[in-house]
Amino acid sequence: QVQLVESGGGLVQAGGSLRLSCVASGSIFSINGMGWYRQAPGKQRELVAVISSGGSTVYADSVKGRFTISRDNAKKTMYLQMNSLKPEDTAAYYCNADINVLGSYTTIRYWGQGTQVTVSS
């Protein structure tokens, strides 16, 4: 059993900052790529940022220069530092991870339950 749990969401004023965390737990042998996605009401889920096991990163154009993705492999944790937040960043934020399950020869993509970020103008 593998679980991803996000935390750190909340209500913040425009221009403020939040730091999201995503912790993986359970029968994990190793973790490949990890990522943050978001979904606003009435919109499709979209990529925010992804990070490889080696630390390479890719960002959506809309968050470049404002958001920073990072991970601590020893803690099986991924972070998203969000600065200069805008009202259009309001969404439910989800993390995912491609996990090599202990005792298995398969890699499975797991998703967290989401954490709400609301940016007021």
Side-chain angles (χ1 to χ4, degrees), residues 1-8 19-26 28 31 34-36 70-80 94-97 99 110-115:
Q1 186 77 4
V2 173
Q3 195 173 19
L4 297 181
V5 178
E6 302 104 332
S7 62
R19 188 194 196 204
L20 306 184
S21 298
C22 172
V23 181
S25 63
I28 298 171
I31 303 176
M34 304 180 78
W36 288 99
S70 62
R71 61 191 285 174
D72 184 329
N73 291 330
K75 295 182 178 179
K76 297 184 179 65
T77 301
M78 175 178 63
Y79 305 97
L80 185 69
Y94 299 88
C95 68
N96 74 7
I99 293 176
Y110 289 88
W111 288 86
Q113 82 289 347
T115 185

Side-chain angles (χ1 to χ4, degrees), residues 10-18 84-91 116-121:
L11 173 64
V12 64
Q13 287 189 331
S17 298
L18 284 174
S84 303
L85 282 161
K86 304 175 181 180
E88 51 263 44
D89 294 318
T90 295
Q116 179 66 34
V117 172
T118 303
V119 185
S120 63
S121 57

